[in-house]
Amino acid sequence: MIPASYNVRDLTIRPATVLAPMAGVTDTLFRRVIRGLGGCGLLMTEFTSSEGITRSAKKTLRYLYFQEDEHPITAQLFGADPRVMAEAAKMVEDLGYDAVDINLGCPAKKVVKCGGSGLLRDMPLLEQIFRAVRAAVKIPLTIKLRAGWDENSIVAVDVARLAESVGVEAIAVHPRTRMQGYAGQADWNLIAAVKQAVRIPVIGNGDINTPEDAERMVAQTGCDAVMIGRAAATNPWIFPQMQQYAASGRYDIPSDADRHRLLSGYYCEINAANLPDAVGKMKQFACWFSHGVGNGGELRRNVHAARTPGEVLESVERFFEHRASVVVGVDPEPVGIARNEDPAHGPSRPVRVQAALGT
């Protein structure tokens, strides 16, 4: 079963489940939805540019806003300048975050030019960054990495050993290469290899869509915790479902009423926050979330036709009112990710709504 908890030095994460950082998704509003549903031990911010933080860029600093009920929470940074990364990490510590994480996994072209998975090709620079950030902060330091740049340069075990040697205190592993993106299958054997190579906690990530998947990953790899990314965008209930499954071997499937309450409540929060990208965020979330809703295609069409946050809310209310008034004779669409959508980095081919990268 999924471990009840794990420790990163003196920080206890209970249960041993983590919300993965996702650009354009894991802002404070979405994180609080996840926290409110229960079952998630650790929240993480969108990955955030260290250069933007140190320049006090207003847009970038917005990514670091959080509320007290989000603890424990980790801020994830990306960048390639050791001095700037260290300075940004110290700012994160001063803001009250429980830990700071270095992104070594993002495959987006915009990010690999200045960090992300691009750093996996430069071990000396990576060591400089680790040492600089470790010296700059007292809070726990963690990393999230991919297997390597491509299939000919699988470096996850080497990076894990290096990280542990300079004071990194936990490692999340997504066992795909940068060149794979999100295609193919995550090689969980690599998570097991990292776990065997280090003594610090190892968090497994990749291809967990159900509580059963999480249980299999722990059994197969021996990892200390599981990290959920894309599945949380399509099924925010996956964390309490894992908790239910660990306790009883079963879990509840959200009803239409549950989905209505969550979607309507989340959209009301987005609307009330007066976000500059409110309509785009609503449409983006509808693309993922509605794949767990019967006749979800109609909901997606209605939301995409809306032009204001108020119109989006009206379309959601109309859809669920209609759903409640008829007897649905077909099973809902399976919870899953639309073929052209990637909650971590936006669509894989052009559509009308795109995720904003957390830079």
Side-chain angles (χ1 to χ4, degrees):
M1 287 293 183
I2 300 164
S5 66
Y6 73 101
N7 290 327
V8 183
R9 203 201 309 160
D10 54 354
L11 177 64
T12 299
I13 309 301
R14 182 181 292 112
T17 53
V18 184
L19 175 65
M22 291 180 282
V25 180
T26 53
D27 61 5
T28 185
L29 298 179
F30 184 77
R31 294 193 307 260
R32 296 185 76 218
V33 166
I34 295 298
R35 182 64 83 212
L37 290 172
C40 181
L42 179 67
L43 300 176
M44 295 186 74
T45 66
E46 303 175 59
F47 64 90
T48 306
S49 165
S50 58
E51 295 280 354
I53 295 172
T54 55
R55 291 196 305 265
S56 297
K58 185 177 180 180
K59 181 180 179 182
T60 302
L61 291 175
R62 178 162 56 89
Y63 297 133
L64 293 180
Y65 176 79
F66 72 98
Q67 297 196 28
E68 286 302 307
D69 61 358
E70 295 183 56
H71 288 292
I73 182 170
T74 296
Q76 191 187 69
L77 305 177
F78 76 88
D81 184 319
R83 179 190 61 80
V84 174
M85 287 286 284
E87 184 180 346
K90 185 65 174 70
M91 292 174 69
V92 161
E93 181 175 56
D94 292 343
L95 286 172
Y97 278 89
D98 298 292
V100 62
D101 186 86
I102 297 174
N103 181 306
L104 305 176
C106 180
K109 290 181 180 179
K110 185 175 180 179
V111 175
V112 298
K113 294 178 181 178
C114 55
S117 58
L119 290 173
L120 298 175
R121 295 176 294 180
D122 192 339
M123 295 286 279
L125 176 57
L126 205 49
E127 181 173 359
Q128 292 176 40
I129 291 172
F130 289 163
R131 291 188 183 279
V133 175
R134 178 68 285 169
V137 298
K138 296 182 175 63
I139 57 176
L141 170 61
T142 65
I143 63 173
K144 183 175 187 290
L145 76 161
R146 281 191 170 238
W149 182 257
D150 57 30
E151 62 181 12
N152 297 316
S153 56
I154 304 299
V155 297
V157 170
D158 293 335
V159 172
R161 286 175 172 149
L162 169 64
E164 182 180 41
S165 73
V166 298
V168 171
E169 294 159 287
I171 300 168
V173 181
H174 183 135
R176 285 184 173 91
T177 66
R178 187 271 172 183
M179 297 305 292
Q180 275 184 278
Y182 290 90
Q185 188 172 9
D187 182 5
W188 289 358
N189 291 324
L190 187 60
I191 299 173
V194 172
K195 175 60 183 172
Q196 293 168 9
V198 297
R199 293 188 297 270
I200 57 179
V202 173
I203 299 95
N205 175 230
D207 291 355
I208 298 177
N209 296 305
T210 66
E212 292 91 337
D213 292 336
E215 181 183 49
R216 285 192 302 104
M217 176 183 278
V218 172
Q220 182 175 325
T221 70
C223 63
D224 300 281
V226 294
M227 176 180 283
I228 310 295
R230 292 175 288 169
T234 57
N235 175 27
W237 290 271
I238 190 168
F239 291 104
Q241 286 175 339
M242 287 192 292
Q243 213 169 22
Q244 283 185 302
Y245 186 67
S248 65
R250 58 168 300 279
Y251 54 89
D252 296 330
I253 303 298
S255 65
D256 272 6
D258 294 327
R259 293 183 178 281
H260 181 196
R261 280 192 297 270
L262 187 143
L263 188 58
S264 180
Y266 180 44
Y267 280 5
C268 284
E269 291 287 343
I270 293 174
N271 192 26
N274 292 316
L275 299 176
D277 57 345
V279 174
K281 188 176 285 288
M282 287 175 166
K283 292 182 178 182
Q284 173 200 60
F285 189 71
C287 286
W288 310 321
F289 180 83
S290 58
H291 285 271
V293 179
N295 201 22
E298 179 186 345
L299 177 58
R300 291 191 290 280
R301 287 191 296 273
N302 293 345
V303 169
H304 278 288
R307 296 184 178 182
T308 68
E311 289 179 4
V312 173
L313 281 167
E314 288 176 13
S315 68
V316 169
E317 295 306 311
R318 285 198 306 270
F319 174 82
F320 281 102
E321 284 174 6
H322 178 69
R323 287 277 296 168
S325 68
V326 298
V327 176
V328 180
V330 295
D331 291 333
E333 297 178 53
V335 173
I337 189 67
R339 291 180 62 190
N340 66 339
E341 295 291 335
D342 169 18
H345 303 289
S348 58
R349 66 175 184 265
V351 294
R352 283 183 293 171
V353 180
Q354 297 210 2
L357 284 178
T359 54

